[in-house]
Amino acid sequence: MRTTVCSAVVVAMLLAGGCAGKDNDTGEGTAAAGFDAGLTKVVHPSATPGGTLKLASANDVDSWDPARSYINAVYNLQRLYVRTLLTPAAAPGTTALVPDLAEDQPAVSADGLQYTFRLRNNVKFEDGTPIRAQDVKYGIERLFAQDVLSGGPTYLIDQLDQGQQYAGPYSGPADLRSVTTPDDRTIVFHLAEPFADFPYLLAMGVAAPVPQAKDTGERYGDRPVASGPYRFASIDAGKKVVWVRNEAWDPASDPVRKALPDRVELTIGTDPTEIDQQLFDGTIDADAGQGGVQSASQAKVLLDPTLKANADEPTTGFVQYAALSTQVAPFDDIHCRRAVQYAVDKSAVQTARGGGQIAGGMLPPGVPGYDEGLDPYQTKAGRAQPGKAKDELRQCGKPDGFSTVLATTGSPRSLKTAEAVQSALAQVGITARIDPADPSLYARSVVGSPANVHSKGYGIIMSAWSADFPTGSGFYPTLIDGRQIRPSGNNNYAELNDPLINQQLDAARTVTDGVRAAGIWQQVDAEVMDTGTMLPLVYDRVLNYRNPRLTNVFVNQYYGTWDVTALGVV
């Protein structure tokens, strides 16, 4: 992922609580501790450096290579060790992009086809080598080597290949012609057609600079070279990661990151319930994944005023959904897909996840084009409709139901969600065998491989998605564009390839008028729902507890999570 718009997802509509009142205010844009204080203000502002920020995660990352990750929480962590031309502002209440490696916003040609950036002075890699425009270009060129570096978002390939069929820097001397570097500090992007959202692509980790001499290809994720304020001191895969200060980073060249801690530690593989306990006893400072405390801990936090004062419940930008594979029988029949749409009890899913806003369409609130009234299967009330489901089963030639395999990750909340879907389907004769997988492998090689999906018979694929940037273009194409179905790292799990939808995606990409673009995305959402390939369940909201010793805490709306680059400790 995600990546993510603040209002794009609603994880858990838990017990409401009073927001931080005016008596908690300590100044303009800042606040003392208080429930949800971090949603709109900076909690415990501080400029004091030092100490160790301690994080924990139940699951390992997909990759530390910025070209290969597609997980929202990893995007947040990437900003500790890599910089990009632009980056989300480190402030609450905004999704704006600000200059990072670039000294200013791009100069854009009148026709919208050329973006020119000028790099800041004194930006360096961890070994002291200056970061050049050519390093930014090379980092982007690596993305094109999908046979070696699959897994990350591929928007830049779609925009910059332009028929060159460039295969990346490992396949020969040819370079990417649509990106030029007139000198060491200037980089120019030449587009084939206007794309209003292009700057968002350059704020992704896939656009981070990489020194060619230090590139180890598919092993680069074992030890990426830092351009941000921290460098990797050690990576013990699946267990622990430690970052320490990057001595070559010049704070004067970086107006975004505070970089207060001397050291950042991430412990991986901790059971979620243990993470909650460690948060409560102060052993760790925050859950790196920021997926919310577990059900038993939710009540504990919300009923204890002291704990609640150190919790935030942000919208995360994610929609929890299931993709129904058009290439796995019987879901090649639209009526079998619609039977599932009617059979699922979304209120049961809501309960299993500890809350959430029931979804009628895929496009989340906050993304332009979201239609609150979209509900083609009349499911927003949360109730299953077994009569309609059985009628669809008769129309698809399966009046007594059928058997299928339901793919999901093995995380506790994901399993509970899958079990709620499984139970509802059983009521109409659909037997769904749950096949859980390692979360770190799930997206890339388990359900991200169409061949594996077909061989395992995964008819129902559980997933979650948020906008990679706060527009319809940042949410939908990767999920539904039939021309983006890939042999590995595939995210179009349904393998939807609808010519009309593909045509609308192309039209939306070139529209610079926001209102008109939102209308197209609204229509796309309705047509995707009509195919029955996507089963939206809930928009997520998560209850996260923070160690009271944390400073500079706020939810970065771009990610729907606390901005890790701002955090300090006392």
Side-chain angles (χ1 to χ4, degrees):
M1 227 216 151
R2 0 337 319 114
T3 21
T4 316
V5 197
C6 165
S7 53
V9 171
V10 197
V11 175
M13 293 261 178
L14 301 169
L15 299 174
C19 293
K22 291 184 178 179
D23 57 329
N24 284 332
D25 291 352
T26 58
E28 182 66 23
T30 66
F35 181 59
D36 275 352
L39 300 188
T40 57
K41 295 187 177 182
V42 178
V43 178
H44 297 314
S46 173
T48 304
T52 298
L53 175 64
K54 298 180 179 181
L55 307 173
S57 174
N59 304 314
D60 200 0
V61 302
D62 48 356
S63 179
W64 291 118
D65 185 336
R68 305 193 72 180
S69 179
Y70 216 152
I71 296 177
N72 190 58
V74 182
Y75 288 171
N76 193 13
L77 292 169
Q78 280 177 359
R79 296 166 72 236
L80 292 171
Y81 63 94
V82 296
R83 299 178 66 180
T84 46
L85 292 171
L86 302 171
T87 195
T94 180
T95 58
L97 295 179
V98 296
D100 187 1
L101 282 177
E103 63 181 10
D104 204 346
Q105 296 287 350
V108 185
S109 62
D111 60 7
L113 298 181
Q114 184 170 295
Y115 288 74
T116 302
F117 290 87
R118 184 84 173 156
L119 269 62
R120 297 180 189 272
N121 274 318
N122 205 33
V123 287
K124 299 177 181 178
F125 289 113
E126 63 180 80
D127 63 357
T129 304
I131 298 173
R132 307 167 303 149
Q134 293 89 339
D135 298 313
V136 176
K137 177 178 178 177
Y138 181 76
I140 292 171
E141 288 178 330
R142 295 176 74 247
L143 178 64
F144 285 73
Q146 284 292 296
D147 58 330
V148 179
L149 304 177
S150 65
T154 56
Y155 297 102
L156 282 170
I157 295 177
D158 302 329
Q159 291 298 316
L160 298 176
D161 187 63
Q162 301 170 13
Q164 183 182 344
Q165 297 185 351
Y166 179 61
Y170 311 127
S171 298
D175 71 344
L176 183 61
R177 295 192 296 265
S178 56
V179 182
T180 56
T181 53
D183 57 59
D184 285 352
R185 290 184 57 203
T186 305
I187 184 167
V188 185
F189 299 89
H190 307 269
L191 306 187
E193 58 185 14
F195 181 47
D197 293 340
F198 185 70
Y200 290 110
L201 310 188
L202 302 177
M204 294 180 171
V206 295
V210 173
Q212 186 171 3
K214 299 292 182 66
D215 182 16
T216 53
E218 63 182 356
R219 296 188 57 201
Y220 188 70
D222 295 344
R223 183 61 173 79
V225 178
S227 51
Y230 296 93
R231 61 179 176 82
F232 287 95
S234 62
I235 300 177
D236 188 356
K239 296 180 180 179
K240 190 169 185 176
V241 176
V242 176
W243 292 274
V244 295
R245 290 194 180 280
N246 172 12
E247 296 82 358
W249 173 75
D250 180 1
S253 77
D254 190 342
V256 180
R257 298 162 182 80
K258 286 187 176 295
L260 295 178
D262 292 329
R263 180 182 177 96
V264 180
E265 296 179 355
L266 170 63
T267 302
I268 299 168
T270 308
D271 183 84
T273 55
E274 179 62 22
I275 289 178
D276 291 355
Q277 186 55 50
Q278 290 181 7
L279 286 169
F280 296 146
D281 65 24
T283 306
I284 61 172
D285 297 309
D287 176 0
Q290 296 185 44
V293 296
Q294 303 306 296
S295 297
S297 298
Q298 291 172 5
K300 181 176 181 178
V301 169
L302 294 169
L303 295 174
D304 184 327
T306 301
L307 294 177
K308 187 176 179 179
N310 290 292
D312 290 320
E313 191 183 27
T315 53
T316 68
F318 280 88
V319 58
Q320 299 290 330
Y321 75 99
L324 308 182
S325 176
T326 60
Q327 301 302 307
V328 175
F331 293 119
D332 51 348
D333 188 304
I334 190 172
H335 294 289
C336 284
R337 300 197 295 268
R338 288 176 176 170
V340 171
Q341 297 278 352
Y342 284 120
V344 171
D345 182 346
K346 293 185 180 179
S347 62
V349 171
Q350 186 182 47
T351 300
R353 295 195 61 77
Q357 175 184 334
I358 291 176
M362 286 290 291
L363 202 62
V367 176
Y370 165 71
D371 182 358
E372 186 177 4
L374 182 62
D375 187 20
Y377 301 101
Q378 299 86 50
T379 59
K380 290 186 76 172
R383 294 183 296 273
Q385 300 178 76
K388 290 184 177 180
K390 289 179 180 178
D391 182 59
E392 293 291 346
L393 286 173
R394 285 190 289 270
Q395 293 186 63
C396 77
K398 303 286 185 181
D400 299 321
F402 56 84
S403 296
T404 189
V405 183
L406 188 158
T408 185
T409 70
S411 68
R413 190 167 292 172
S414 295
L415 283 173
K416 288 181 179 179
T417 305
E419 288 165 358
V421 171
Q422 179 190 51
S423 178
L425 294 179
Q427 301 303 309
V428 299
I430 300 175
T431 301
R433 177 175 62 83
I434 295 175
D435 187 7
D438 182 338
S440 66
L441 301 175
Y442 186 72
R444 179 178 299 162
S445 58
V446 178
V447 297
S449 164
N452 190 60
V453 168
H454 304 163
S455 66
K456 295 291 183 62
Y458 292 150
I460 303 174
I461 298 171
M462 306 296 294
S463 190
W465 196 254
S466 69
D468 291 321
F469 43 89
T471 71
S473 291
F475 179 84
Y476 244 145
T478 306
L479 292 182
I480 62 172
D481 191 333
R483 298 156 297 185
Q484 292 191 33
I485 299 172
R486 305 183 188 281
S488 64
N490 176 53
N491 290 286
N492 184 345
Y493 301 142
E495 295 184 69
L496 177 63
N497 191 7
D498 184 293
L500 176 59
I501 291 175
N502 292 347
Q503 184 179 13
Q504 288 179 314
L505 294 179
D506 290 341
R509 290 188 185 106
T510 62
V511 174
T512 56
D513 179 82
V515 174
R516 184 180 163 209
I520 296 175
W521 291 116
Q522 183 174 337
Q523 185 176 355
V524 167
D525 202 21
E527 291 179 356
V528 169
M529 291 303 301
D530 191 56
T531 68
T533 55
M534 298 291 191
L535 171 62
L537 298 168
V538 295
Y539 305 124
D540 277 347
R541 185 187 301 273
V542 291
L543 181 68
N544 283 313
Y545 177 79
R546 55 181 181 263
N547 190 323
R549 77 175 189 138
L550 284 178
T551 63
N552 296 314
V553 184
F554 65 87
V555 172
N556 189 316
Q557 291 191 7
Y558 203 94
Y559 300 107
T561 59
W562 293 319
D563 192 323
V564 72
T565 67
L567 296 178
V569 294
V570 293

